C-alpha cells in the first residue's frame, strides 16, 4: 500500500475519532452518538448499503469497459424532494447494515470482479466509516482509484483532510441560491458549503482529470450538474460560477435525465413536476459552449 495513503488515513482517523461518539462529519454537525440516536441523515453508525456492483452508466473514464465499482449508501444528509435515487436515499429500502470489515470486503470483491475504481455513492454521512474501512481494505490489497461521488454538501475542512486518500472527486453543483436549495432540498446553506468544497477539490486536483493509457480516470475532478425543468437561470448561474471561480477547462457532466420523482407532486411544485424540455437543455448546453467549456459530457 502507498505509504502516504496509510499515513493520511491514520491522521484522518485520529483527528476525527470523536465521530465515533459524536458525529459532526457533515455540515449539519449534529454531535450525536449514532449508535444511540439518529441525526439529520437518519442513518446509524454502521454503514447501511443498498447495493454494491459494477456500473456502466457513469462518465466513460469512470465506467470504462468493465464498470465502476459502485457502493450505494443508504440515506443522505440532504432531502431533495425530487431525489432521483429516492428508494435508497430517502425511503431507505432494501438496505443492509454492514460492519467496517464487510465494507472493506465489498471493496475487495469489486476489485476482484474487475472494477476500474471504487465509487462511493452518497458517501458524506459515512465518510468516517469509509476511511475506517479503507484502513482494512488496503491491508487486504486494495489498489484501484477511489471515487467520492457526492452531492457536494460536505465540510470543506474535512475534504481538505481527505487529501491524499481520495483520488477522484465527483461532486454536484445543484444550486447557486439559498432560496432554491431550501425550496427543493431543505438546506438553505447548500451553496455556501458546496462552493467551498468545489474550490478545495479543485485545489487538490488542479482541476485536472488524469487518465491512464486506456482512458480510465486515475485522479482528478468531474463536476456534475443536473438541469432542472424551468430552472435555466440556476444552471446558467452554476456554469458561470464554475468558469469565474474555477476554470472553463474543468471536466463537467451536464445531465438531462431528470424525472419528477419522490415528493414533487405532493409538495405542489408544478414547475418541476414534468421532465426537462429539450429546449431548456439546449439553452444550457449552448451557454456552456459560449463560456468555452470544452471538457463537457452531455446526454442525448
Ligand atoms: S452525518 Fe448524519 S449524524 Fe453526522 S453530522 Fe451529518 S447529518 Fe448529523
Amino acid at each position: 500500500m502507498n505509504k502516504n495513503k496509510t499515513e493520511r488515513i491514520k491522521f484522518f482517523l485520529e483527528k476525527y475519532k470523536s465521530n465515533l461518539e459524536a458525529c459532526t462529519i457533515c455540515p449539519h454537525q449534529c454531535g450525536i452518538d449514532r449508535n444511540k440516536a439518529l441525526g439529520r441523515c437518519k442513518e446509524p453508525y454502521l454503514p447501511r448499503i443498498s447495493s454494491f456492483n459494477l456500473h456502466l452508466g457513469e462518465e466513460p473514464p469512470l465506467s470504462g469497459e468493465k464498470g465502476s465499482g459502485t457502493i450505494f449508501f443508504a440515506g443522505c444528509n440532504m432531502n431533495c424532494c425530487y431525489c432521483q435515487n429516492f428508494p435508497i436515499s430517502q425511503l431507505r429500502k432494501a438496505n443492509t447494515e454492514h460492519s467496517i470489515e464487510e465494507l472493506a470486503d465489498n471493496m475487495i470483491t469489486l476489485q476482484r470482479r474487475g472494477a476500474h475504481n471504487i465509487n462511493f455513492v452518497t458517501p458524506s454521512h459515512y465518510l468516517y466509516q469509509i476511511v475506517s474501512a479503507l484502513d482494512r481494505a488496503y491491508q487486504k490489497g486494495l489498489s484501484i482509484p477511489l471515487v467520492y461521488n457526492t452531492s457536494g454538501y460536505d465540510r470543506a475542512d474535512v475534504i481538505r483532510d481527505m487529501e491524499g486518500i481520495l483520488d477522484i472527486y465527483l461532486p454536484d453543483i445543484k444550486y447557486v441560491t439559498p432560496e432554491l436549495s431550501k425550496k427543493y432540498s431543505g438546506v438553505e446553506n447548500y451553496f455556501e458549503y458546496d462552493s467551498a468544497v468545489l474550490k478545495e477539490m479543485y485545489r487538490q486536483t488542479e482541476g485536472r482529470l488524469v487518465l491512464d493509457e486506456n482512458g480510465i480516470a486515475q485522479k482528478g475532478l468531474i463536476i456534475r450538474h443536473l438541469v432542472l425543468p424551468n430552472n435555466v437561470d440556476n444552471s446558467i448561474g452554476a456554469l458561470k460560477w464554475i468558469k469565474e471561480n474555477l476554470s472553463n477547462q474543468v471536466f463537467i457532466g451536464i445531465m438531462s435525465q431528470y424525472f419528477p420523482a419522490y415528493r414533487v407532486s405532493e409538495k405542489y411544485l408544478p414547475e418541476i413536476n414534468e421532465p426537462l424540455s429539450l429546449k431548456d437543455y439546449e439553452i444550457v448546453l449552448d451557454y456552456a459552449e459560449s463560456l468555452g467549456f470544452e471538457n463537457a459530457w452531455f446526454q442525448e
Side-chain angles (χ1 to χ4, degrees):
M1 174 187 169
N2 181 321
K3 187 163 172 283
N4 187 38
K5 276 209 178 192
T6 320
E7 284 167 4
R8 294 299 302 169
I9 287 169
K10 287 202 184 326
F11 165 80
F12 187 93
L13 292 177
E14 177 60 25
K15 179 165 180 181
Y16 292 97
K17 68 181 176 194
S18 61
N19 278 271
L20 288 163
E21 294 176 346
C23 183
T24 56
I25 205 73
C26 91
H28 293 303
Q29 305 203 47
C30 303
I32 49 120
D33 181 345
R34 291 168 66 177
N35 286 305
K36 297 180 181 155
L38 299 179
R40 277 282 294 265
C41 62
K42 299 194 186 73
E43 286 297 312
Y45 179 77
L46 282 181
R48 297 192 320 124
I49 293 172
S50 170
S51 67
F52 65 101
N53 223 326
L54 298 177
H55 187 47
L56 289 166
E58 305 286 33
E59 285 79 356
L62 299 178
S63 286
E65 289 188 354
K66 296 176 188 164
S68 175
T70 48
I71 299 180
F72 280 87
F73 290 99
C76 184
N77 63 355
M78 293 182 73
N79 186 17
C80 304
C81 64
Y82 56 83
C83 180
Q84 309 288 284
N85 208 17
F86 70 97
I88 298 171
S89 66
Q90 302 297 328
L91 302 182
R92 300 168 169 83
K93 285 189 173 166
N95 299 306
T96 316
E97 193 166 283
H98 288 235
S99 67
I100 297 299
E101 196 71 26
E102 286 167 338
L103 176 54
D105 288 342
N106 294 346
M107 299 181 205
I108 298 299
T109 301
L110 287 167
Q111 178 171 280
R112 284 207 190 106
R113 289 177 59 196
H116 294 296
N117 45 61
I118 301 297
N119 185 344
F120 302 113
V121 185
T122 321
S124 308
H125 55 301
Y126 280 127
L127 186 50
Y128 187 82
Q129 295 83 335
I130 288 170
V131 181
S132 304
L134 282 172
D135 195 27
R136 298 291 301 129
Y138 279 117
Q139 290 169 29
K140 292 169 186 246
L142 186 70
S143 60
I144 54 181
L146 306 176
V147 182
Y148 192 67
N149 186 341
T150 175
S151 66
Y153 194 54
D154 292 273
R155 285 174 48 188
D157 57 331
V158 174
I159 296 299
R160 190 177 314 125
D161 287 328
M162 291 298 290
E163 185 167 15
I165 300 176
L166 298 168
D167 300 294
I168 299 160
Y169 289 111
L170 187 57
D172 291 337
I173 179 168
K174 290 180 182 295
Y175 318 103
V176 291
T177 66
E179 292 76 23
L180 221 51
S181 66
K182 172 90 176 151
K183 183 178 177 189
Y184 292 153
S185 297
V187 281
E188 198 163 6
N189 57 8
Y190 171 79
F191 190 57
E192 181 190 324
Y193 280 90
D194 184 54
S195 56
V197 160
L198 293 176
K199 285 180 180 173
E200 173 56 25
M201 291 175 172
Y202 184 85
R203 183 194 69 77
Q204 289 181 29
T205 59
E206 298 172 343
R208 299 164 62 217
L209 188 65
V210 179
L211 307 179
D212 69 7
E213 62 282 6
N214 299 313
I216 302 299
Q218 302 298 303
K219 290 171 91 118
L221 172 68
I222 302 173
I223 301 175
R224 282 177 168 170
H225 175 70
L226 176 67
V227 184
L228 298 174
N230 301 304
N231 275 288
V232 161
D233 286 352
N234 181 54
S235 297
I236 284 177
L239 292 167
K240 191 164 178 283
W241 184 88
I242 294 172
K243 177 176 177 181
E244 289 177 356
N245 294 275
L246 306 178
S247 158
N248 62 359
Q249 296 304 301
V250 75
F251 286 75
I252 56 172
I254 305 175
M255 302 185 294
S256 65
Q257 67 210 43
Y258 177 88
F259 65 98
Y262 190 39
R263 300 183 62 202
V264 169
S265 57
E266 72 190 64
K267 282 183 84 87
Y268 192 66
L269 295 165
E271 76 280 12
I272 57 167
N273 196 15
E274 58 184 57
L276 177 69
S277 70
L278 183 60
K279 181 168 154 272
D280 278 6
Y281 191 49
E282 284 180 347
I283 291 171
V284 175
L285 294 184
D286 288 347
Y287 186 70
E289 193 177 3
S290 75
L291 291 184
F293 282 100
E294 293 169 358
N295 301 314
W297 285 281
F298 56 90
Q299 294 171 312
E300 296 294 333

